[in-house]
Amino acid sequence: MTKVLTVRDLTIGWGGEPLLEEIAFDVERGEVFAILGGSGCGKSTLLRHLIGLARPMAGSVHLHGLGSPQQALEPPQFGVLFQSSALFGSMTLLQNIALPLSKWTDLPREAVEVVALARLQLVGLLPFAHHLPAEVSGGMKKRAGIARALALDSSLLFLDEPSAGLDPITASELDDLILTLSRNLGVTIVLVTHELASILRVADQCIVLDRAARGIIARGDPRDLRDRSPDPRVHAFFHRQSQRHDR
């Protein structure tokens, strides 16, 4: 398989204090790759480094065919769904999706609208094209965020906690969309999440981060890790068990 993302010996942190050390992993083309771990372990911070919003203390992130994340930012060569969706509240969903097309392409206005409408149709939001973000549900905002991330026909998406704050049915529908993008369109997806149901349903491979270890404590198929990992920390994560024994 073809590697899309390579991370080697990555150390990240703030104020000279490392949060994660010597992180290394690969993401293959077409995979749904999950970054897992408990609260405060550095999942979202790692994501910020993967997409070039922060520079590491040491090590490298390489997007194959694109170089470093910073080199791939202008024009964007990948899409990002932030945890809050980050839609512009004064713009309709259609206008939000059209924005990167207007900024980064030479398409005429009519063509920009056609492409933006096609992205909204892909995520099931075509009837809501002229609604403002405040006029749609949380799940719809997430879908609109994914549509915007796909506006420039990105083949690599980074999703930060896409199911956060959603009810189980809406979260399941979002999982369906992630699987459609991966299986039917060949989009490579790097997913930060702690939602076990989503992890076990959509992720092909994963890494598990641990705050105390400051690094990766497990990697592989999440279903295999759930059923067979000998590491008590990994077992506790996948089985929702506390590791605290003091009472």
Side-chain angles (χ1 to χ4, degrees), residues 49-114:
H49 286 77
L50 298 183
I51 64 177
L53 293 183
R55 292 186 179 274
M57 299 170 67
S60 65
V61 177
H62 186 78
L63 300 169
H64 287 262
L66 302 174
S68 72
Q70 287 81 10
Q71 291 171 323
L73 284 175
E74 295 190 8
Q77 300 296 310
F78 51 80
V80 182
L81 172 67
F82 295 99
Q83 189 173 150
S84 63
S85 299
L87 299 174
F88 292 98
S90 61
M91 302 171 67
T92 66
L93 300 189
L94 177 61
Q95 291 169 333
N96 268 280
I97 281 72
L99 184 61
L101 291 161
S102 299
K103 179 174 176 59
W104 297 110
T105 75
D106 296 323
L107 292 174
R109 184 175 180 178
E110 295 79 8
V112 166
E113 183 169 326
V114 168

Side-chain angles (χ1 to χ4, degrees), residues 137-190:
S137 69
M140 290 178 177
K141 290 176 186 176
K142 299 278 189 175
R143 287 174 173 267
I146 291 176
R148 187 175 62 183
L150 291 167
L152 296 174
D153 202 25
S154 302
S155 60
L156 172 62
L157 292 185
F158 293 91
L159 310 181
D160 189 8
E161 298 283 5
S163 300
L166 301 182
D167 64 83
I169 293 176
T170 303
S172 179
E173 291 171 346
L174 195 61
D175 289 344
D176 290 339
L177 176 58
I178 291 171
L179 288 171
T180 296
L181 296 175
S182 173
R183 306 297 186 256
N184 296 351
L185 300 181
V187 177
T188 305
I189 296 173
V190 179

